[in-house]
Amino acid sequence: MENKEKKGINRRDFLKGAVLAGGATALVGITAGCSPSSSGSQSSKGGSSSSADVQHTWDVKPDPITDIAETRDFDIVIVGAGIAGLSAAEAAARNGAKVAVLEKQSNFSIRGVDNGHIGSQWQIKNNAKIPTPERASMLLHLWSQQTTNYNLIHTWASRSGKVFDHIQEITTKHGFDMVSAISPTAKYEWDTLPDRWVVYPDAVSFVAKDDIGMNTADGQMVNVHLGTTLFDEAESNGAEFFYDNYAQQLVGDASSGITGVITKLKDGSYIKYNASKGVIMATGDIGGNQEMIDCWAPIVNRADGNVYNPAGANLGEGLLMGMWAGAAKSKSPAAPMVHQFTLDSMDFNLTSFVMCWLAVNRNGDRYGAE
């Protein structure tokens, strides 16, 4: 979404320093003939509409917002203050950009335990059995049944090692240690399995001395250490954070370029954030949007529970705004990410959580990389 270069920071230099972390929004695929049961769409004859008649939210572009109360100018505007947004903010601000981070909630939000990467000095020092970037990219592309963007995967695989060298440096400065992944979902020492099913120890966690297992002393998931570090570093380099700013529309379109974002405040007024160099969408997944789940990842509906948090997040707004502005829809399906437990108590809902299983056919032959 870049529309022009500015002296002092160019696109190539910015990408060299960009932190490639999990959570960034991607335009997920729409399956043919999708007709979500929750849409409630009716045909003109009063009966249920066919899939060809359905108009989804992302198909109906709203009128442009023109009642702007205030305009603010930046180089980079980032929508979303999770791990992805904070990572982008830290990298952009460190490289000299004037950065605005827009977040609809009242603070940044961090979840999770482990962070995957390939080829950091930490992994080399600790003799981690990590494949080459080319090998890792091939395996990930294979496991997706060739539905993913290989070049995008290879970008992560080939650059994430140097990125995590930088992350280790700044987290150490803030008093946190980078260690092997502590989540029970990281099933290491599976490197004796047949080639296609090998699980590599590519993930790490960031911990403090008073952490208790996967949680901090005050009950948050340990990834908050990484989030806090990224926030502090971004802010110290001049990034500005605007909370309770709910992004509504992108300014511009895919053909002419995206030049900004319009947000809505709690009082109903609209603020326009101009972005001279580009807009980064980091709005999370679709776990809180039933229409998108029904259409793009219906298998999620078979789970006893589908927890997304914090409440009100992950509604797919970045996808809506992107497609309203003319962004292409990926041909690949959405990845169904389901955390099947009760959010408040972490109690099981008679489903799998922190467990592993095998996908086998009727002959007992394994056919999936679980």
Side-chain angles (χ1 to χ4, degrees):
M1 296 182 177
E2 175 186 296
N3 65 334
K4 68 177 181 177
E5 297 271 335
K6 184 172 182 179
K7 188 176 181 180
I9 172 174
N10 59 40
R11 183 172 185 270
R12 179 175 296 177
D13 289 338
F14 172 66
L15 288 175
K16 283 181 181 178
V19 178
L20 302 176
T25 297
L27 292 183
V28 296
I30 293 178
T31 56
C34 171
S35 181
S37 59
S38 64
S39 66
S41 300
Q42 299 292 317
S43 69
S44 59
K45 295 182 180 180
S48 297
S49 61
S50 68
S51 59
D53 298 325
V54 171
Q55 268 200 323
H56 293 287
T57 307
W58 47 88
D59 296 323
V60 183
K61 182 179 179 180
D63 293 332
I65 297 171
T66 58
D67 183 18
I68 305 299
E70 183 182 352
T71 299
R72 300 168 182 172
D73 297 323
F74 292 86
D75 297 328
I76 302 291
V77 174
I78 301 166
V79 183
I83 277 286
L86 293 177
S87 300
E90 188 276 332
R94 170 166 45 87
N95 282 278
K98 183 179 181 182
V99 179
V101 182
L102 314 178
E103 171 56 51
K104 69 180 181 180
Q105 301 187 94
S106 299
N107 205 341
F108 65 84
S109 176
I110 305 298
R111 294 167 297 284
V113 178
D114 307 327
N115 305 271
H117 70 282
I118 290 179
S120 68
Q121 292 301 309
W122 185 92
Q123 289 176 335
I124 295 172
K125 179 181 178 180
N126 287 277
N127 297 315
K129 297 178 180 179
I130 305 296
T132 64
E134 290 71 26
R135 179 70 176 166
S137 302
M138 183 275 288
L139 288 172
L140 287 170
H141 193 54
L142 172 67
W143 292 334
S144 75
Q145 300 181 29
Q146 292 79 46
T147 62
T148 51
N149 183 329
Y150 175 86
N151 292 329
L152 188 61
I153 292 175
H154 188 264
T155 297
W156 164 76
S158 61
R159 298 183 184 181
S160 57
K162 290 185 177 179
V163 168
F164 270 75
D165 289 341
H166 169 68
I167 290 178
Q168 182 182 22
E169 180 181 347
I170 61 176
T171 51
T172 299
K173 183 175 68 174
H174 285 256
F176 305 121
D177 295 321
M178 190 163 83
V179 300
S180 294
I182 62 175
S183 168
T185 58
K187 306 296 183 185
Y188 295 160
E189 300 179 5
W190 282 16
D191 54 354
T192 59
L193 292 173
D195 180 68
R196 188 175 176 183
W197 317 120
V198 172
V199 177
Y200 295 98
D202 65 318
V204 294
S205 302
F206 298 91
V207 300
K209 291 181 175 58
D210 58 352
D211 288 341
I212 304 172
M214 294 187 293
N215 296 99
T216 65
D218 58 359
Q220 300 183 73
M221 288 185 171
V222 295
N223 231 25
V224 72
H225 299 320
L226 174 57
T228 300
T229 297
L230 293 170
F231 171 81
D232 290 343
E233 291 290 316
E235 193 173 50
S236 67
N237 283 314
E240 297 183 54
F241 289 76
F242 299 92
Y243 299 111
D244 298 315
N245 270 253
Y246 199 161
Q248 304 291 302
Q249 290 181 1
L250 295 174
V251 180
D253 55 44
S255 60
S256 60
I258 302 300
T259 60
V261 180
I262 297 174
T263 68
K264 186 176 183 179
L265 305 183
K266 284 186 174 181
D267 63 8
S269 61
Y270 294 100
I271 306 295
K272 179 182 177 182
Y273 292 86
N274 289 325
S276 64
K277 293 191 65 63
V279 172
I280 296 175
M281 305 302 290
T283 58
D285 62 55
I286 65 172
N289 188 313
Q290 191 61 49
E291 181 185 14
M292 291 182 177
I293 289 175
D294 289 342
C295 192
W296 297 335
I299 194 174
V300 172
N301 292 320
R302 297 172 61 184
D304 293 344
N306 174 25
V307 176
Y308 67 95
N309 55 53
N314 299 328
L315 299 178
E317 298 100 332
L319 305 180
L320 291 174
M321 288 183 282
M323 285 187 274
W324 289 337
K329 304 168 187 175
S330 171
K331 296 179 180 179
S332 60
M337 300 293 290
V338 181
H339 291 80
Q340 302 166 130
F341 56 93
T342 302
L343 184 60
D344 293 335
S345 65
M346 299 297 181
D347 287 339
F348 301 113
N349 285 332
L350 302 179
T351 56
S352 58
F353 175 56
V354 193
M355 297 180 184
C356 61
W357 61 93
L358 296 180
V360 296
N361 62 21
R362 292 181 182 274
N363 295 324
D365 300 323
R366 187 174 179 182
Y367 65 87
E370 301 84 354

